Amino acid sequence: MASSWSSSSSSSSSTLLLLLRLLCLCAALPATLQAAARPPSVTIGALFTFDSVIGRSARTAIQLAVDDVNGDPTVLRGTNLSVIFQDTKCSGFVGTIQALELMERQVVAVVGPQSSGIAHVVSHVANQLRVPLLSFAATDPALASKQYPYFVRATHDDRFQMAAVADVVAHHGWREVTAVYVDNDYGRGGVVALGDALEALRARVSYKAAFPPGADRAAIADLLVRANMMESRVFVVHASPDSGLDVFAAARSLDMMATGYVWIATDWLAAAAIDAAGAGAASKSNIQGVLTLRQYTPDSDAKASLVSRFAAAAKPSSNGINVYGLFAYDSVWMAARAIDQFLSDTSGGNISFSADANIRDANGSALGLSALKVFDQGEQLLRKVMLANFTSATGSVRFQYDADGSGTLINPAYEILNVGGTGVRRVAYWSNYTRLSVAAPRLLADGGPPPNSSTTTQQQQQMYSVIWPGDTTSKPRGWVFPNNGKPLRIGVPYRTTYKQFVSKDRSSPDGVSGYCVDVFNAAVALLPYPVPASFVLFGDGVKNPSYNELVQKVADGFFDAAVGDISIVTNRTRVVDFTQPYVESGLVIVSTVKAKSSNEWAFLRPFTPGMWAIIGAFFLSVGAVVWILEHRFNPEFRGSPRKQMVTMFWFSFSTMFFAHRENTVSTLGRFVLIIWLFVVLIINSSYTASLTSILTVQQLFTGIQGLDSLLSSNDPIGYQVGSFARSYMMEELGVPASRLRELAIDDYADSLQRGPSNGGVAAIVDELPYIELFLSTNCQFRTVGQEFTKSGWGFAFQRDSPLAVDLSTAILTLSENGDLQRIHDKWLNPGTCASQSTDGVGTDRLNLGSFWGLFLICGVACFVALLIYFARILCQFCEYHGHGTTAGAAQEDDGAGPFPDPQRSLRRPARLTSIRDLMSFVDMKEAEVKTAIRSRSDRRLDGSMGGRSYTSEGPSLSRPSSMSPV
C-alpha cells in the first residue's frame, strides 16, 4: 500500500506541474501575440523649410532624434521609426502641397510645420485626416484655438515672450512702443499678444509698422522712416530669422541705432545672429545695444550630449543648433513615445487608414485626392501625445491645461540678452512665475508654481544694467516729440465769465490767454524739447462749455490735450491722464450771510435761561446746605433769624467771586464748599470764554449752515454752467435734479439775494477758485461749512501720454521756484474785499452797545439802594426833627441839640438852615442817630409825665409854667 501510495503521489505531482506550465504559456500567449502584432515600421513626416535658419538646425536635430529613438530598446520595441522630409520653401501654397503629399504617404504624425501661416492651413487637413501635428516653431497664439484640435505646439507660444517684452518695457517706465513686424499670421498674432500684455501694464502699442514677407531693404527703410516720425523711440521687432536682420541694417543706415533709441527683438534674433555659427561681424555690428529674448532651456547632460553630436553631424556650412532645433528634437521623441504607448495599449495597437467619402476627385480631376486616407487611430494617438511626460534636451516635457482646456508646455521661461561688442550678456531671466529676475527660474517637473510663488511675484522685478544703442548705460527716455510737422491740437474752453482763467484773446499770438494758458506755456518752456501747440477754442462763446465733453474729446482723439480750468475728478481720470494739479480746488457752498450785532443783553447769551435758573438754584441750595452744616458749630452762622438769612444769602452768592468772609469749621461744610468752588471755577471759566467769543468775534447767521443742512432742506441749489458739480450732487449726494439751477457766475449775486422765495437759490455749490474770485467783489456773501471734495485743476492728455509725466515735473518746478504764485498774482488779484469764511472776522474794538445792559442793571441797583437809603434817612430825620420841636423847651437852658439858637437863626434864611441841619444829620453815625432818637423819645415821655397832677380821682394835666393863660 505504501508503494502504491507513493506512485500515485508522484503521478499527481507531475500532473500539477504540467498544468502550471500550461497556465504560464496561456498567460504569456496574449503578450507574445501583441508583440508579434507591432508593425515593423512606423512613418512620421517632417514639414519645414530646409533652407532657413530654423530649418537647417531642425533637420539635423530631427535626424539625430530618429536615430536615438531607433537605438533605444525601451522605445518602439521591435518597430523602426522612419521620417519623410518635405520642404515648404517658405511658401504657404508649396507648404500645403507638401503637407498633402505627406498625408498621401500615410504618416501617423507630422513634426512641423515650421511656419504659423502654413500651420493654419495644414491644421484643417490634419483635422480631416486625424493626423497630429507636432510643431516646434509655429508660435502664433491663435493656433491654440479649439478650432485646431490636432495641432500640438511642442514649443512655447508668443503670449509668453510678449509678456516678457511688456515686463521689460514696464520695468523701464516706458508707456508706448512701436511694433515692427512681418505682416503674416506669425507677425500679426505676436503683435496682438504684445498689445494685450502691454495694456495690462498701462502701456500700449502706439504705432504698428508692418512690412510684407520678402520685403527688400528699401521698403523696410521707408517703413522705418514713417515709424521714426512718431513719438515713441521704443521699437519691438517681431520678424522671421531670415528677414529680420534687414530691419536692423535699414535702421542703422537711417541712424536709428544711435543714442535715445531702444530696440527689443523677440527670440528670432537669438536664432538668427547669436546661436548661428555663421553670423558675420557685419550682422552683429547692426544690432549693438539691442535686447533680445531666447527661450530658456536648463543645462543638462542630455542637452550637452545633443549639442556635441549636432556639431559633429552638421555640415560645415550649417549653423549651430538653436533652441528651435532642441524643440524639434524633443518633438520626435514626443511622437515616438506616444506611438509606443499607443502600440502597447491593449485596447488597440493596429495602425490602419481608410478612405473618406468626403474626399474624392471631381470628374476629370488629376489631383489624386482619393489617395488621401484617414488615420483611423488618430484620436487615440493624439491623446497619447497630450499625455507626454518625460525629460529630454529642453528639460521636463509635459503639458498643462488652462481653464478653457487648451494645453501648453510647462515652464515657459526666457533669457533677456543684451548685444554688445562681439558678444552678448544675460541681463535678466523671465518666467511666468518669477517674472523678471536676475536669478535663473526654478523649473519644476510638474509645471506647478514654485514654493512661495505668490511672494516671488510681488517682489520688485530686477534687471542688470543694459548697454543701449549709442554705447550708453543711461536709460533712454523712450520717446520724443513726434517729428511729423503736426503741432499738438489743444482744446481750450471758451469761457464767457471770469475770463481771467482762460478765454479767447485776439491780441494774443496763441489766440487765447489767461491764468491756465500762462501756466501751461511756462511749464512747456521748462521741457528739454520743443512742443509746438495749436490752441483750439471749445464752446460757442454764449455760455461756458461742458468740461466733461471737452475731456471726452481728448479721450476720443479729437484733441491731443486740453488746457484750462479742468477739475481732476474720478470719471475723467478713467478716460484721460492728468498732469500734477497746478491749483488746489474743491466744492464749497456759498450763501447769503448776515452779521449778528451784539446787543445790550449779550452778557446773558453764554448761558441759556434754564442754565441761569439752575445756577441760581444751586447757589441758594449750596448756601442752605452749608448753613445747615455750620449752624451748630460756627458762631458766624448763628444769631437772629434775620441775620442768619442774610448770612446764608451773602455766603451763597459771594462764592461766585470767591469773596465769602465766613469761615467753615465743619468737615462736611468744607467738603461741600470745596466741591462747589470747583464747580464755580468751571462755570466762571466757561462763561468767560463764551462771552469773549461772543463779544470779540463777529457772529454770522444764515439758513444754510453747511452740507448737511443744505441736503436736508428742499431749497433750490445753484451751480455753474458746465461744472461737474451737477453730476456730483446728483450721483454722489443724491440731490434730485429738480432742486438744481444752472447759473452763470454773473447771476450768482442776484440769485442769492432774491432767495428761494423769489425765484432765486438758497445756496450755490461751485469750485473754490471761482468762489474766491466771486467773493473778492461780493462782500455780502460767505462760504459756509467746509470743502466737501478735494481735487485740483490739471491739464488733460490722452491715456499714457508721456507729455503728462514731463509736464507734471515742470509744474512742480514752477511751484518750487515761485513762478506759479507769480502767475497767480498776475491774473487773480484780490478785489475790493477779501474772501472770508464762516470762521468769523475779528472786530477792532468793543463798544458800549455790548455792555450798557450791565451798566443799566448796576445803575438801577444803585439807584434803588440809594432811594431806599435816603427814604430811610428822611424818615429818621423827620422822626428826629419831630422830637426836637417838642423838647425844645428842655434844651433851651444848655443850648444843646442840632437846632440853632432862634436869635442866630434869624440871621440867615430858614431853608439854608434846614439843608445844613439835614447834611449834619446824614453825617451822623447810625448808632448816634438811634441813640438820639431813643433819648429824646424818653425825654418826651418824661415831659409828658411831669405836666400831670394826681388826685384821688385820677391824673389831671397841668399847664406848663412857661405858657401863660389866654
Coordinates of all heavy atoms in Angstrom, one line a residue, residues 181-231:
Y181 N 7.0 94.5 -37.5 CA 6.7 93.1 -37.7 C 6.4 92.7 -39.1 O 6.0 93.6 -39.9 CB 5.5 92.7 -36.8 CG 4.2 93.4 -37.1 CD1 3.3 92.7 -37.9 CD2 3.9 94.6 -36.7 CE1 2.0 93.3 -38.2 CE2 2.7 95.3 -37.0 CZ 1.8 94.6 -37.7 OH 0.6 95.2 -38.1
V182 N 6.6 91.4 -39.4 CA 6.2 90.9 -40.7 C 4.7 90.7 -40.8 O 4.1 90.2 -39.8 CB 7.0 89.6 -41.0 CG1 6.7 88.6 -39.9 CG2 6.7 89.0 -42.3
D183 N 4.1 91.1 -41.9 CA 2.7 91.1 -42.0 C 2.2 89.7 -42.4 O 1.7 89.5 -43.6 CB 2.3 92.2 -43.0 CG 0.8 92.5 -42.9 OD1 0.1 91.9 -42.0 OD2 0.3 93.2 -43.7
N184 N 2.2 88.8 -41.5 CA 1.6 87.4 -41.8 C 1.0 87.0 -40.5 O 1.0 87.7 -39.5 CB 2.7 86.5 -42.3 CG 3.9 86.3 -41.4 OD1 3.8 86.7 -40.2 ND2 5.0 85.8 -42.0
D185 N 0.5 85.7 -40.5 CA -0.1 85.2 -39.3 C 0.8 85.2 -38.1 O 0.4 85.6 -36.9 CB -0.6 83.8 -39.5 CG -1.8 83.7 -40.5 OD1 -2.5 84.7 -40.6 OD2 -1.9 82.7 -41.3
Y186 N 2.0 84.9 -38.3 CA 3.0 84.9 -37.2 C 3.2 86.3 -36.6 O 3.2 86.5 -35.4 CB 4.3 84.3 -37.7 CG 5.5 84.6 -36.9 CD1 5.8 84.1 -35.7 CD2 6.5 85.6 -37.4 CE1 7.0 84.4 -35.0 CE2 7.6 85.9 -36.7 CZ 7.9 85.3 -35.5 OH 9.0 85.7 -34.8
G187 N 3.4 87.3 -37.5 CA 3.7 88.6 -37.0 C 2.5 89.3 -36.4 O 2.6 89.9 -35.3
R188 N 1.3 89.1 -37.1 CA 0.1 89.8 -36.5 C -0.3 89.2 -35.2 O -0.7 89.9 -34.3 CB -1.0 89.6 -37.5 CG -0.9 90.5 -38.8 CD -2.1 90.5 -39.6 NE -2.4 89.2 -40.1 CZ -2.0 88.7 -41.3 NH1 -1.2 89.4 -42.1 NH2 -2.3 87.5 -41.7
G189 N -0.2 87.8 -35.1 CA -0.6 87.2 -33.8 C 0.3 87.6 -32.7 O -0.1 87.8 -31.6
G190 N 1.6 87.8 -33.0 CA 2.5 88.2 -31.9 C 2.3 89.6 -31.5 O 2.3 89.9 -30.3
V191 N 2.0 90.5 -32.4 CA 1.7 91.9 -32.1 C 0.4 92.0 -31.3 O 0.3 92.9 -30.3 CB 1.7 92.8 -33.3 CG1 1.2 94.2 -33.0 CG2 3.1 92.8 -33.9
V192 N -0.6 91.2 -31.6 CA -1.8 91.3 -30.8 C -1.5 90.8 -29.4 O -2.0 91.4 -28.4 CB -2.9 90.3 -31.5 CG1 -4.1 90.1 -30.5 CG2 -3.4 90.9 -32.8
A193 N -0.7 89.8 -29.2 CA -0.3 89.3 -27.9 C 0.5 90.4 -27.2 O 0.3 90.6 -26.0 CB 0.4 88.0 -28.0
L194 N 1.3 91.1 -27.9 CA 2.1 92.2 -27.3 C 1.2 93.3 -26.8 O 1.3 93.9 -25.7 CB 3.1 92.8 -28.3 CG 3.9 94.0 -27.9 CD1 4.8 93.7 -26.6 CD2 4.8 94.5 -29.0
G195 N 0.2 93.7 -27.6 CA -0.7 94.7 -27.2 C -1.5 94.4 -26.0 O -1.7 95.2 -25.1
D196 N -1.9 93.1 -25.9 CA -2.7 92.7 -24.7 C -1.8 92.7 -23.4 O -2.2 93.1 -22.4 CB -3.2 91.2 -24.9 CG -4.3 91.2 -26.0 OD1 -4.8 92.2 -26.3 OD2 -4.5 90.1 -26.5
A197 N -0.5 92.3 -23.6 CA 0.4 92.3 -22.4 C 0.7 93.7 -22.0 O 0.7 94.0 -20.8 CB 1.6 91.5 -22.8
L198 N 0.9 94.6 -22.9 CA 1.2 96.0 -22.6 C 0.0 96.7 -21.9 O 0.1 97.5 -21.0 CB 1.6 96.8 -23.8 CG 3.0 96.4 -24.4 CD1 3.2 97.2 -25.7 CD2 4.1 96.8 -23.4
E199 N -1.2 96.4 -22.4 CA -2.4 97.0 -21.9 C -2.6 96.6 -20.4 O -3.1 97.5 -19.6 CB -3.6 96.6 -22.7 CG -4.9 97.3 -22.3 CD -6.1 96.9 -23.1 OE1 -5.9 96.1 -24.1 OE2 -7.2 97.3 -22.9
A200 N -2.2 95.4 -20.1 CA -2.4 95.0 -18.7 C -1.4 95.8 -17.8 O -1.6 95.8 -16.5 CB -2.1 93.5 -18.5
L201 N -0.4 96.4 -18.3 CA 0.6 97.2 -17.6 C 0.5 98.7 -17.9 O 1.5 99.4 -17.7 CB 2.0 96.7 -17.9 CG 2.3 95.2 -17.6 CD1 3.7 94.8 -18.1 CD2 2.2 94.9 -16.1
R202 N -0.6 99.1 -18.3 CA -0.9 100.5 -18.6 C 0.1 101.1 -19.7 O 0.5 102.2 -19.6 CB -0.7 101.4 -17.3 CG -1.9 101.2 -16.3 CD -3.2 101.8 -16.9 NE -3.0 103.2 -17.3 CZ -3.1 104.2 -16.4 NH1 -3.3 104.0 -15.2 NH2 -3.0 105.5 -16.9
A203 N 0.4 100.3 -20.7 CA 1.2 100.7 -21.8 C 0.5 100.3 -23.1 O -0.6 99.7 -23.0 CB 2.6 100.1 -21.7
R204 N 1.0 100.7 -24.2 CA 0.3 100.4 -25.4 C 1.2 100.4 -26.6 O 2.4 100.9 -26.6 CB -0.8 101.4 -25.7 CG -0.4 102.8 -26.0 CD -1.6 103.7 -26.0 NE -1.1 105.1 -26.3 CZ -1.2 105.7 -27.5 NH1 -1.7 105.0 -28.5 NH2 -0.9 106.9 -27.7
V205 N 0.8 99.8 -27.7 CA 1.5 99.8 -29.0 C 0.9 101.1 -29.7 O -0.2 101.1 -30.1 CB 1.2 98.6 -29.8 CG1 1.9 98.7 -31.2 CG2 1.7 97.3 -29.1
S206 N 1.8 102.1 -29.8 CA 1.3 103.4 -30.3 C 1.3 103.4 -31.9 O 0.6 104.2 -32.5 CB 2.2 104.5 -29.8 OG 3.5 104.4 -30.1
Y207 N 2.2 102.6 -32.5 CA 2.3 102.6 -33.9 C 2.7 101.2 -34.4 O 3.6 100.6 -33.8 CB 3.3 103.6 -34.4 CG 3.4 103.8 -35.9 CD1 2.4 104.4 -36.6 CD2 4.4 103.2 -36.6 CE1 2.4 104.5 -38.0 CE2 4.5 103.4 -38.0 CZ 3.5 104.0 -38.7 OH 3.6 104.1 -40.1
K208 N 2.0 100.7 -35.4 CA 2.3 99.4 -36.0 C 2.9 99.6 -37.4 O 2.3 100.1 -38.3 CB 1.1 98.5 -36.1 CG 0.4 98.2 -34.7 CD -0.8 97.4 -34.8 CE -1.4 97.1 -33.5 NZ -2.7 96.3 -33.5
A209 N 4.2 99.1 -37.5 CA 4.9 99.2 -38.8 C 5.0 97.8 -39.3 O 5.9 97.1 -38.9 CB 6.2 99.9 -38.6
A210 N 4.1 97.4 -40.2 CA 4.1 96.1 -40.8 C 4.7 96.1 -42.2 O 4.4 97.0 -43.0 CB 2.7 95.6 -40.9
F211 N 5.6 95.1 -42.5 CA 6.2 95.0 -43.8 C 5.8 93.6 -44.3 O 5.7 92.6 -43.6 CB 7.7 95.2 -43.8 CG 8.5 94.3 -42.9 CD1 8.9 93.0 -43.4 CD2 8.7 94.6 -41.5 CE1 9.6 92.2 -42.6 CE2 9.4 93.7 -40.7 CZ 9.9 92.5 -41.2
P212 N 5.6 93.5 -45.6 CA 5.2 92.2 -46.2 C 6.3 91.2 -46.2 O 7.5 91.6 -46.2 CB 4.8 92.6 -47.7 CG 5.6 93.8 -48.0 CD 5.7 94.6 -46.7
P213 N 6.0 89.9 -46.2 CA 7.0 88.9 -46.2 C 7.9 89.1 -47.5 O 7.3 89.3 -48.6 CB 6.3 87.6 -46.2 CG 4.9 87.9 -45.6 CD 4.6 89.3 -46.0
G214 N 9.2 89.0 -47.4 CA 10.0 89.1 -48.5 C 10.3 90.5 -48.9 O 10.9 90.8 -50.0
A215 N 10.0 91.5 -48.1 CA 10.2 92.9 -48.4 C 11.7 93.1 -48.5 O 12.5 92.6 -47.7 CB 9.6 93.8 -47.4
D216 N 12.1 94.0 -49.5 CA 13.5 94.3 -49.6 C 13.9 95.4 -48.6 O 13.1 96.0 -47.9 CB 13.9 94.7 -51.0 CG 13.0 95.9 -51.5 OD1 12.4 96.6 -50.6 OD2 13.0 96.2 -52.7
R217 N 15.2 95.7 -48.5 CA 15.7 96.6 -47.5 C 15.2 98.0 -47.8 O 14.9 98.8 -46.8 CB 17.2 96.6 -47.5 CG 17.8 97.4 -46.4 CD 19.3 97.2 -46.3 NE 19.6 95.8 -46.0 CZ 20.9 95.3 -45.9 NH1 21.9 96.1 -46.0 NH2 21.0 94.0 -45.6
A218 N 15.0 98.4 -49.0 CA 14.5 99.8 -49.3 C 13.1 100.0 -48.8 O 12.7 101.0 -48.3 CB 14.5 100.0 -50.9
A219 N 12.2 98.9 -49.0 CA 10.8 99.0 -48.5 C 10.8 99.1 -46.9 O 10.0 99.8 -46.3 CB 10.0 97.8 -49.0
I220 N 11.7 98.3 -46.3 CA 11.8 98.4 -44.9 C 12.3 99.7 -44.4 O 11.8 100.3 -43.4 CB 12.7 97.2 -44.4 CG1 12.1 95.9 -44.7 CG2 13.0 97.4 -42.9 CD1 13.0 94.7 -44.3
A221 N 13.2 100.3 -45.1 CA 13.7 101.7 -44.8 C 12.6 102.7 -44.9 O 12.5 103.6 -44.0 CB 14.9 102.0 -45.7
D222 N 11.8 102.7 -45.9 CA 10.7 103.6 -46.0 C 9.7 103.4 -44.8 O 9.2 104.4 -44.3 CB 9.9 103.4 -47.3 CG 10.8 103.8 -48.5 OD1 11.7 104.6 -48.3 OD2 10.4 103.3 -49.6
L223 N 9.5 102.2 -44.4 CA 8.6 101.9 -43.3 C 9.2 102.5 -42.0 O 8.5 103.1 -41.2 CB 8.4 100.4 -43.1 CG 7.5 100.0 -42.0 CD1 6.1 100.4 -42.3 CD2 7.6 98.5 -41.8
L224 N 10.5 102.4 -41.8 CA 11.1 102.9 -40.6 C 11.2 104.4 -40.6 O 11.1 105.0 -39.5 CB 12.6 102.3 -40.5 CG 12.7 100.8 -40.2 CD1 14.2 100.4 -40.1 CD2 12.0 100.4 -38.9
V225 N 11.3 105.0 -41.7 CA 11.2 106.5 -41.8 C 9.9 107.0 -41.3 O 9.8 108.0 -40.5 CB 11.4 107.0 -43.2 CG1 11.1 108.5 -43.3 CG2 12.9 106.8 -43.6
R226 N 8.8 106.3 -41.6 CA 7.5 106.7 -41.1 C 7.3 106.4 -39.7 O 6.8 107.2 -38.9 CB 6.4 106.0 -41.9 CG 6.3 106.3 -43.4 CD 5.0 105.8 -44.0 NE 4.9 104.4 -44.0 CZ 5.4 103.6 -44.9 NH1 6.0 104.1 -46.0 NH2 5.2 102.3 -44.8
A227 N 7.9 105.3 -39.2 CA 7.8 105.0 -37.8 C 8.6 106.0 -37.0 O 8.3 106.3 -35.8 CB 8.3 103.6 -37.5
N228 N 9.7 106.5 -37.6 CA 10.6 107.4 -36.8 C 9.9 108.8 -36.6 O 10.4 109.6 -35.8 CB 11.9 107.6 -37.6 CG 13.0 108.1 -36.7 OD1 13.1 107.8 -35.5 ND2 13.8 109.0 -37.2
M229 N 8.9 109.1 -37.4 CA 8.2 110.3 -37.3 C 7.2 110.3 -36.1 O 6.7 111.4 -35.7 CB 7.4 110.7 -38.6 CG 8.3 110.9 -39.8 SD 7.4 111.0 -41.3 CE 6.6 112.6 -41.0
M230 N 7.0 109.1 -35.5 CA 6.1 109.0 -34.3 C 7.0 109.4 -33.1 O 8.2 109.5 -33.1 CB 5.6 107.6 -34.2 CG 4.8 107.2 -35.4 SD 3.3 108.2 -35.7 CE 3.8 109.1 -37.2
E231 N 6.3 109.5 -32.0 CA 6.9 110.0 -30.7 C 7.7 108.9 -30.0 O 8.6 109.1 -29.3 CB 5.9 110.6 -29.8 CG 4.9 109.7 -29.3 CD 3.9 110.4 -28.3 OE1 3.8 111.6 -28.4 OE2 3.2 109.7 -27.6

